[in-house]
Each structure stands twice: as C-alpha cells, then as structure tokens.
Amino acid sequence: MKISIFGNEFQHESLEQVKLLLSLLHDTGAELWGDPSYVHFLNHEVGEVPYLNVFGKGAAMRADVAISIGGDGTFLRTAQAVALQSVPIMGINAGHLGYLTTVDISETAQAVKCLLSGDYDIEERSMLQLMLPSGYEEAKRFALNEVAILRQDTSSTIKLDVSLDDVALTTFNGDGMLLCTPTGSTAYNLSVGGPILHPQSRCFVLSPISPHALTMRPVVFADTSMLRVTVRSRARLFQVSVDGETIDMPSGTTLRIAKAPFPTRVIMLKGHRFARVLRTKLMWGKDNRGEE
C-alpha cells in the first residue's frame, strides 16, 4: 500500500504520537511518501525518518490512501492535492477543533488497524468548482469548504449581482458573500449565520456577509445549479478565497461557481455519526454556565 502523508508545522505537542503512527505504518510494509515541507519539519524536530520518502509534484495523487495529520486546514490542503484522482483521505486530528478529521491522534493504533483491514466506510463529499475568466494560470479552482467573495482591506463595501442558472436572483451591497458545501456549512458559513447541513445533502448554501439589506438571508439550493456573480467595488480589487487560498480580482469581474465534477472521498471509521460529531465538537448539551 502506498500512503501519502500530509501535515503542518504546528504539531510540537503531538510529535511522539506522529512518530508512533509512522512507525506502525512502516511496520506493516506500507510505502510512505510525505509532503516535502512536512518531511523537512519532522527531520528537524525528531531526527531523520529514513522510511518517509519525499514525493514530487503530482506523486501524492498516485497513492492508495492519503493521511492528513493536523487540523481542518491540513485536511483542506490534502483534499486540494488528491481529490482529483479520487484518493481517499483519513483525517487524524492533531490540531484543535478538527471538525473535518475523523480520528484523534490518541487513536493511532486503532486507525492503522482499521486502515489495513479495510474496516471503514468512505463518504463522498461534494466540492465546488470556481471558474475564473480566461487569462488566469489556473482557470478552475476547487473547494471542499467554501468559495468566499470579500472586499479588500477597505471600509468600502462591494456590490454583488447574483444569478442562479442564468436567472437574476439578487443584488446587494455588503462585505461579501460565500458559497459553501454541506461539509463547509460548519466553517465560515456557521460564523455568518448560515445553516448547518448534513454532509451528504445534495445542496449548497449562499450566505451574505454583513449585507446592507435586512431582507438578504442565506439561501439553500440544489447542487445541480450554476451561480454567476459579478462583483463591483470602489476599490480597484476585491478578493476571492478558495478554502483559504486568496486571489485578488479586478472590480467588474464575473465569476461562475458550480459543483465540481468529482468529490472528496473521506475515510470514516465504523460508528462515526454526524449527530455525535455536532454534539461533541460544538458542545451541544453542555452546561457552560459554571457553578456559583
């Protein structure tokens, strides 16, 4: 089995568990390939890991499985790297909230056992495809969480003309808007007052960000739709963020956003339930008032 390893450089408290995970995987005969920056970090912090090879450009997509060690940011970066080739991802939380991850770093031994035995399920999570005007190096960008359209660092709002399947939907001024997947509904979307969606829902959410219109509210629509947005700003530029990667765009640009032609495949251990994740991660049902 060939496994691609992704991580970040903010894992000092969990380095011993990471070493254990890599050792257990190596002992099974798995071929391990790591993201170059992460391998460099590990070699510097824990000493050289001789069985962890550095993969070149595109090599991560030829793995049988990808393992993301970190938090949600690391998982999103892993999805960007391997989703196009349908490589399933196991997310191991070595960060803080770790909403996208399904295994805690303390459950390393169990995770390896399930991975090698095939005792897991795979969920397919829909992604977004952002289509940029011609002339950009990457005309298409993909997001597992959201595409956010934002004003530049200025007090001026931006104006957004939005159409749904080529039918005018709304025009409003504000700080911006975001389009999120069901997976991304618990991320930025939750912060701006959007609804939480089940990960297997076949829909997307359009959520305005500080709209200057009391009637402008989040909208849920089928993921078969195409959204077209023209953005105008008093500033020369506005920003488009694709799962946190920001692009500066000139005022007057029209963007198209639709469902990507491929999903992200997420490895889920048996017994993983959406309701349990919400209750645990969002601390629903917990009394935080304290004792007097």
Side-chain angles (χ1 to χ4, degrees), residues 36-147:
S37 62
Y38 189 54
V39 174
H40 176 76
F41 165 73
L42 290 177
N43 288 340
H44 181 267
E45 294 296 324
V46 302
E48 186 175 355
V49 184
Y51 47 80
L52 182 58
N53 306 289
V54 177
F55 58 66
K57 185 176 181 180
M61 296 187 293
R62 295 190 290 272
D64 299 301
V65 171
I67 294 180
S68 167
I69 308 172
D72 292 343
T74 305
F75 193 96
L76 292 173
R77 184 164 57 87
T78 304
Q80 290 278 354
V82 305
L84 183 62
Q85 298 297 324
S86 298
V87 178
I89 305 170
M90 172 179 278
I92 297 180
N93 183 28
H96 297 289
L97 182 60
Y99 191 88
L100 294 175
T101 57
T102 59
V103 180
D104 190 80
I105 191 68
S106 63
E107 302 171 317
T108 292
Q110 177 192 0
V112 172
K113 180 180 178 180
C114 292
L115 184 63
L116 295 176
S117 66
D119 187 24
Y120 57 82
D121 298 316
I122 293 181
E123 277 190 7
E124 293 194 345
R125 305 287 185 88
S126 57
M127 300 184 73
L128 291 168
Q129 175 177 276
L130 169 67
M131 288 154 279
L132 301 174
S134 60
Y136 286 85
E137 183 177 351
E138 294 181 60
K140 296 179 181 179
R141 309 287 177 98
F142 302 99
L144 175 59
N145 264 2
E146 78 266 319
V147 174

Side-chain angles (χ1 to χ4, degrees), residues 6-285:
F6 293 82
N8 61 52
E9 300 177 10
F10 306 98
Q11 299 176 0
H12 296 87
E13 295 179 0
S14 56
L15 283 177
E16 288 303 316
Q17 292 97 325
V18 172
K19 287 172 59 179
L20 174 62
L21 170 64
L22 297 177
S23 177
L24 289 173
L25 290 171
H26 173 65
D27 290 344
T28 67
E31 184 180 345
L32 304 182
W33 293 81
D35 173 54
S37 62
Y38 189 54
V39 174
H40 176 76
F41 165 73
L42 290 177
N43 288 340
H44 181 267
E45 294 296 324
V46 302
E48 186 175 355
V49 184
Y51 47 80
L52 182 58
N53 306 289
V54 177
F55 58 66
K57 185 176 181 180
M61 296 187 293
R62 295 190 290 272
D64 299 301
V65 171
I67 294 180
S68 167
I69 308 172
D72 292 343
T74 305
F75 193 96
L76 292 173
R77 184 164 57 87
T78 304
Q80 290 278 354
V82 305
L84 183 62
Q85 298 297 324
S86 298
V87 178
I89 305 170
M90 172 179 278
I92 297 180
N93 183 28
H96 297 289
L97 182 60
Y99 191 88
L100 294 175
T101 57
T102 59
V103 180
D104 190 80
I105 191 68
S106 63
E107 302 171 317
T108 292
Q110 177 192 0
V112 172
K113 180 180 178 180
C114 292
L115 184 63
L116 295 176
S117 66
D119 187 24
Y120 57 82
D121 298 316
I122 293 181
E123 277 190 7
E124 293 194 345
R125 305 287 185 88
S126 57
M127 300 184 73
L128 291 168
Q129 175 177 276
L130 169 67
M131 288 154 279
L132 301 174
S134 60
Y136 286 85
E137 183 177 351
E138 294 181 60
K140 296 179 181 179
R141 309 287 177 98
F142 302 99
L144 175 59
N145 264 2
E146 78 266 319
V147 174
I149 301 172
L150 308 164
R151 63 181 174 86
Q152 274 277 23
D153 296 330
T154 171
S155 59
S156 298
T157 62
I158 55 177
K159 181 179 180 180
L160 301 106
D161 292 315
V162 185
S163 65
L164 185 65
D165 294 329
D166 293 324
V167 177
L169 176 65
T170 183
T171 298
F172 71 95
N173 288 73
D175 287 352
M177 60 158 276
L178 61 88
L179 187 67
C180 79
T181 66
T183 298
S185 67
T186 50
Y188 196 175
N189 172 71
L190 190 62
S191 299
V192 300
I196 295 176
L197 303 179
H198 190 283
Q200 298 301 297
S201 302
R202 297 181 178 179
C203 53
F204 295 133
V205 180
L206 184 163
S207 292
I209 303 173
S210 301
H212 286 206
L214 293 177
T215 58
M216 189 62 206
R217 291 292 185 269
V219 180
V220 180
F221 54 91
D223 64 8
T224 54
S225 303
M226 165 74 75
L227 204 72
R228 191 184 304 270
V229 186
T230 300
V231 187
R232 295 181 175 85
S233 171
R234 291 181 181 178
R236 187 172 61 88
L237 301 171
F238 67 95
Q239 294 182 333
V240 181
S241 175
V242 183
D243 276 353
E245 295 186 8
T246 303
I247 314 163
D248 290 331
M249 305 289 294
S251 177
T253 298
T254 296
L255 305 169
R256 293 181 298 145
I257 311 170
K259 183 179 180 179
F262 53 85
T264 292
R265 304 178 70 217
V266 182
I267 293 175
M268 314 292 288
L269 299 188
K270 301 292 186 180
H272 188 276
R273 296 292 184 269
F274 179 60
R276 188 175 297 127
V277 172
L278 285 181
R279 186 173 180 86
T280 302
K281 299 291 187 180
L282 301 183
M283 295 186 291
W284 285 357

